[in-house]
């Protein structure tokens, strides 16, 4: 990994652990083992680094979702694979968590990639649900846009419940509940 | 409001705005308009104040849920009333948000009331769903414990989506999606 990558990865790690306001340029440099000159050679400052860090998490999240959603199978099977895939539940979602970071939501430019990622994820899930509706697997009257938001909310809320309990069980229960409703069709 | 109450309310406000680590005893005193002596007369320190503050938010959350869940009507009608009640969606849940506060989740004593509140909320929703199952409104095989976790996760995740979008719409969509599945029975 080159210095630029190392700086971005350190920023992701620190954003996760300390939040935007709690992450200083100095801490990023130390975590990355990079000098101040090197950091300012690559980036204008902490904000640009945070933007790159958020973008990298966003890309990973969408790629990981796509890996499950593009598999063969019915719409519900693909959504099941997506919801049931292995996750570090207690760490939470690297994108969703940023919505609770006051330094991120207060800055429209930093909030934008968070919003865009969750919007794209919902749109992709709605597409899968639309395919299920088209094949008759799901009812014709189903509001797939609403249901896609529900599926993403179950994931994000499942992380909240798991972190409260310090255990993954409530996350698994929340996923089981939505899947039991989806498979009832 | 007496000084003790004022100190607790200021702590709630500051926990919300700045998080546990970012909330200093001095900031609490200034926000409450109370002196240092007065604060330490009522509380051993910031931690005890935070515990009281979290407990007060927890009591309010459970009382507000109960107000809707104990109304007459079918199980799905009561859950609909609970999910659709007026909320300050963009502020998020005062309890759920604490799960993203590293200073809260790292301290078992501060995390305990957060966990207990969400656990009690899930248990209460499971009870309502059990009643719906008993009357035949909901299917006999329904896993009400899992579905109760789903309902709470939709709320908590709905807040996450709304904060990302800086708009309440994704919250409303997530709620519409789960209600469309529940009313399909």
């Amino acid at each position: 990994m080159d210095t630029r990558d190392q700086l971005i990865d350190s920023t992701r790690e620190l954003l996760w652990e300390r939040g935007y306001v709690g992450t200083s340029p100095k801490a990023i440099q130390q975590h990355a083992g990079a000098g101040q000159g090197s950091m300012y050679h690559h980036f204008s400052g902490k904000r640009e680094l945070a933007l790159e860090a958020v973008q990298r998490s966003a890309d990973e999240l969408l790629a990981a979702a796509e890996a499950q959603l593009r598999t063969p199978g019915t719409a519900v099977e693909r959504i099941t694979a997506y919801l049931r895939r292995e996750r570090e539940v207690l760490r939470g979602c690297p994108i969703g968590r940023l919505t609770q970071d006051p330094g991120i939501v207060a800055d429209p430019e930093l909030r934008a990639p968070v919003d865009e990622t969750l919007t794209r994820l919902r749109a992709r899930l709605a597409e899968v649900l639309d395919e299920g509706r088209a094949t008759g697997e799901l009812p014709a009257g189903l509001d797939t846009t609403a249901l896609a938001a529900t599926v993403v909310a179950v994931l994000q809320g499942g992380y909240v419940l798991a972190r409260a309990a310090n255990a993954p069980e409530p996350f698994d229960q929340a996923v089981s509940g939505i899947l039991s409703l989806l498979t009832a069709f």
Side-chain angles (χ1 to χ4, degrees), chain A:
Chain A
M1 207 162 24
D2 65 13
T3 308
R4 194 175 176 281
D5 276 335
Q6 206 108 45
L7 284 161
I8 296 172
D9 260 33
S10 292
T11 306
R12 287 171 78 185
E13 198 63 42
L14 292 169
L15 275 183
W16 206 325
E17 285 169 16
R18 308 184 191 176
Y20 185 70
V21 172
T23 298
S24 67
K26 189 148 198 74
I28 297 171
Q29 290 154 29
Q30 281 172 347
H31 193 281
Q36 179 172 326
S38 168
M39 180 178 133
Y40 288 105
H41 168 71
H42 290 289
F43 301 98
S44 60
K46 164 176 140 175
R47 191 150 172 277
E48 193 190 345
L49 258 165
L51 267 172
E52 290 272 355
V54 173
Q55 198 53 59
R56 196 167 284 193
S57 294
D59 293 344
E60 282 183 13
L61 181 148
L62 292 172
E66 196 48 34
Q68 257 86 33
L69 294 176
R70 67 159 174 247
T71 53
T74 66
V76 174
E77 280 167 1
R78 288 147 72 198
I79 287 174
T80 302
Y82 170 59
L83 291 176
R84 288 284 190 215
R85 82 145 191 267
E86 214 174 309
R87 291 165 194 274
E88 286 187 85
V89 169
L90 292 183
R91 287 204 87 184
C93 171
I95 291 297
R97 279 184 65 169
L98 297 173
T99 64
Q100 307 305 320
D101 187 328
I104 300 283
V105 286
D107 182 329
E109 216 183 322
L110 287 171
R111 186 176 57 76
V114 175
D115 184 21
E116 196 196 312
T117 306
L118 294 172
T119 301
R120 283 179 61 187
L121 180 59
R122 277 152 51 205
R124 183 66 184 103
L125 283 162
E127 234 173 66
V128 173
L129 292 166
D130 282 342
E131 287 165 32
R133 206 171 51 175
T135 61
E137 176 196 351
L138 298 171
L142 194 71
D143 182 342
T144 53
T145 301
L147 195 51
T150 306
V151 171
V152 179
V154 167
L155 276 182
Q156 294 295 335
Y159 286 125
V160 169
L161 297 183
R163 281 177 66 84
N166 196 30
E169 283 76 16
F171 178 96
D172 296 333
Q173 289 182 336
V175 166
S176 293
I178 189 75
L179 290 177
S180 74
L181 296 180
L182 284 174
T183 51
F185 287 123

